Amino acid sequence: MKKFFSLLLTLALVLSLAACGGGGTTPPAADSGTTPPADAGEPAPADVTITVAALASGYEEAYPGMWQEVCDAFTAETGVKVNLICDKNLEDVIGPSMQGGDFPDVIHLATGREKGLTEQFIKDRNIAELTDVLSMTVPGESVKVSDKIVGGFTDTSVTNPYGDGVTYLAPMFYSPCGLFYNAGLFEEKGWTVPTTWDEMWELGDKAQAEGIYLFTYPTTGYFDAFLYALMYSVGGADFFNKATTYAEGIWDSPEAQQCFDIIAKLASYTNPVTPAQANDQDFTQNQQLVLDNKALFMPNGTWIVGEMAEAPRADGFKWGMTALPAAKAGGNGASYCWLEQAWVPAAAPNLDAAKQFVAFLYSDAACAIFAKGGAVQPVPGLGTVREVFLDPVNGLVNGSVTVDQWISDIKTASDQMRANLMG
């Protein structure tokens, strides 16, 4: 079977557009760019100190101090001092102070997190425009930011959430996502990685006989990449495009039903402890299920290797990754590329210096530091979506949500989202 890893960047988070339609209480958008951007090549005022808040993800665990080193390099280059906040539970650390009006200047926190902080800022239009950063000169270099970013990475709803051609989120680390497993266990058992869903169910029965569940997932948020890849593998580009733009009747199509059936059946093969641990505090316990041979597959990104580097594991454990199986024999499997984002709150106290820091993130110096943690820069949605489309998977696993109820809620939400997109 032919497999391919599809970089579905252009349509990666079209789903996020729907929740951006707001009511009359939505704050006004950030500065539209009438003020000329700061020249990244000029020395910054010596008395400026910016606050950078960054998620301590698996990359930071793989190379402790990664973000601090980047901040120090920025200070050395520009003279702008940096107060760094780096934490696994970043929302809990910066949330209370932001409620009091004290905002970081730069935040590195992707969409798709359980608490939906980035999505909330997008929805409320409390996020600064970054289009002018693309024309800034990278600090310490002679090229513009736009010259450093791979084409296509600033033309998606991941970075331009309002569909108006304006960039609000800077594309950061990107990572292929797929199904991760213990390749050592497969070698030991003589098992073959499934290439179709029928083969997946056969393997699930075989593994279950040995006390091993077929599947687990860190949190339901990880089903976004899973769902996108599944839709593409089942119905190709046409179905994917229609589904991610909420085409009328799309969820009544045979392709949609096949996607629903696969996820529902997968729920019956999922380790039952998964839902209780599927949150931002305990998700590594679900990932540990694969390392302990208590589940065969989990959806994840390549950052998992660094994130679980120090975790115990079964003898002979070796990381393996595969695309989602094809819908039928002879079809194509599919994977997805996850893209993280950095952004600037509209109320950032040092907007020009914040944009200068974002520009520096694409410098050769910063890229080299990030690479030490396995984080790859793109250099040569929202809460409603997760709540309706993804979170019910927990209920499918523990039996508190029926498949029919899940599908009905998706259709209702899709109708509302389509109306928002067209309004």
Side-chain angles (χ1 to χ4, degrees):
M1 183 201 77
K2 175 185 175 185
K3 284 191 176 183
F4 64 91
F5 286 80
S6 300
L7 299 181
L8 305 177
L9 290 172
T10 10
L11 292 167
L13 289 178
V14 174
L15 294 175
S16 71
L17 291 173
C20 293
T25 59
T26 301
D31 188 334
S32 60
T34 55
T35 302
D39 185 346
E42 296 181 358
D47 59 346
V48 172
T49 299
I50 64 172
T51 297
V52 173
L55 179 70
S57 64
Y59 301 129
E60 179 75 20
E61 292 187 17
Y63 182 56
M66 177 184 76
W67 274 104
Q68 186 61 60
E69 189 171 338
V70 169
C71 292
D72 292 344
F74 173 72
T75 299
E77 183 60 49
T78 65
V80 176
K81 303 177 184 66
V82 180
N83 170 38
L84 175 65
I85 301 171
C86 191
D87 198 276
K88 289 182 178 180
N89 300 307
L90 189 63
E91 301 94 331
D92 296 335
V93 175
I94 65 176
S97 60
M98 289 196 298
Q99 289 178 356
D102 184 10
F103 294 86
D105 294 290
V106 179
I107 298 176
H108 174 260
L109 187 71
T111 54
R113 297 269 295 172
E114 183 177 14
K115 292 181 172 62
L117 187 147
T118 299
E119 288 88 341
Q120 189 60 51
F121 269 74
I122 294 172
K123 181 180 179 182
D124 292 343
R125 290 185 174 267
N126 280 334
I127 189 166
E129 294 183 14
L130 296 180
T131 301
D132 54 359
V133 172
L134 300 177
S135 62
M136 291 172 64
T137 301
V138 177
E141 300 181 6
S142 59
V143 297
K144 296 184 182 299
V145 172
S146 59
D147 296 328
K148 299 295 294 282
I149 300 177
V150 174
F153 276 82
T154 57
D155 300 323
T156 80
S157 57
V158 177
T159 56
N160 303 6
Y162 306 115
D164 56 1
V166 178
T167 298
Y168 287 85
L169 301 105
M172 288 289 290
F173 315 138
Y174 69 101
S175 173
C177 298
L179 297 179
F180 284 74
Y181 63 97
N182 178 2
L185 177 64
F186 276 67
E187 293 173 3
E188 174 189 333
K189 299 291 187 181
W191 293 341
T192 301
V193 176
T195 58
T196 67
W197 283 105
D198 284 341
E199 292 176 2
M200 183 69 86
W201 310 137
E202 292 174 6
L203 177 61
D205 294 336
K206 187 182 301 183
Q208 187 69 56
E210 299 194 28
I212 305 172
Y213 286 90
L214 178 66
F215 192 70
T216 187
Y217 50 89
T219 71
T220 55
Y222 282 68
F223 270 93
D224 53 6
F226 181 97
L227 181 58
Y228 295 137
L230 180 62
M231 290 191 298
Y232 201 93
S233 66
V234 167
D238 183 61
F239 171 67
F240 179 87
N241 293 342
K242 290 179 179 178
T244 53
T245 54
Y246 312 107
E248 188 169 2
I250 191 63
W251 302 115
D252 291 313
S253 66
E255 293 86 356
Q257 188 60 53
Q258 188 172 5
C259 289
F260 295 143
D261 290 344
I262 288 172
I263 293 178
K265 189 165 185 175
L266 194 58
S268 69
Y269 281 92
T270 298
N271 191 308
V273 306
T274 298
Q277 301 172 166
N279 55 68
D280 287 344
Q281 289 71 47
D282 304 318
F283 70 96
T284 56
Q285 296 181 40
N286 284 337
Q287 296 176 166
Q288 188 66 44
L289 295 174
V290 174
L291 277 73
D292 292 339
N293 291 336
K294 295 180 180 178
L296 291 186
F297 294 102
M298 65 173 164
N300 223 301
T302 52
W303 61 80
I304 183 66
V305 177
E307 191 168 65
M308 302 299 286
E310 302 302 320
R313 59 203 63 210
D315 292 341
F317 182 91
K318 293 192 298 185
W319 283 111
M321 174 185 168
T322 184
L324 266 66
K328 58 183 178 181
N332 290 320
S335 188
Y336 173 89
C337 189
W338 174 256
L339 182 65
E340 299 186 27
Q341 306 111 319
W343 46 280
V344 175
N350 303 290
L351 189 59
D352 288 341
K355 291 183 176 183
Q356 198 174 23
F357 182 84
V358 172
F360 182 75
L361 294 176
Y362 302 98
S363 66
D364 291 346
C367 289
I369 295 168
F370 287 135
K372 295 178 183 178
V376 181
Q377 286 283 70
V379 174
L382 285 127
T384 299
V385 172
R386 174 165 175 168
E387 179 182 349
V388 176
F389 283 71
L390 311 179
D391 284 350
V393 174
N394 280 336
L396 295 178
V397 175
N398 63 32
S400 62
V401 174
T402 67
V403 175
D404 289 343
Q405 178 184 347
W406 175 49
I407 295 175
S408 175
D409 289 343
I410 286 177
K411 291 179 180 178
T412 299
S414 188
D415 289 342
Q416 295 172 349
M417 292 171 180
R418 182 172 61 256
N420 283 340
L421 284 174
M422 297 172 63

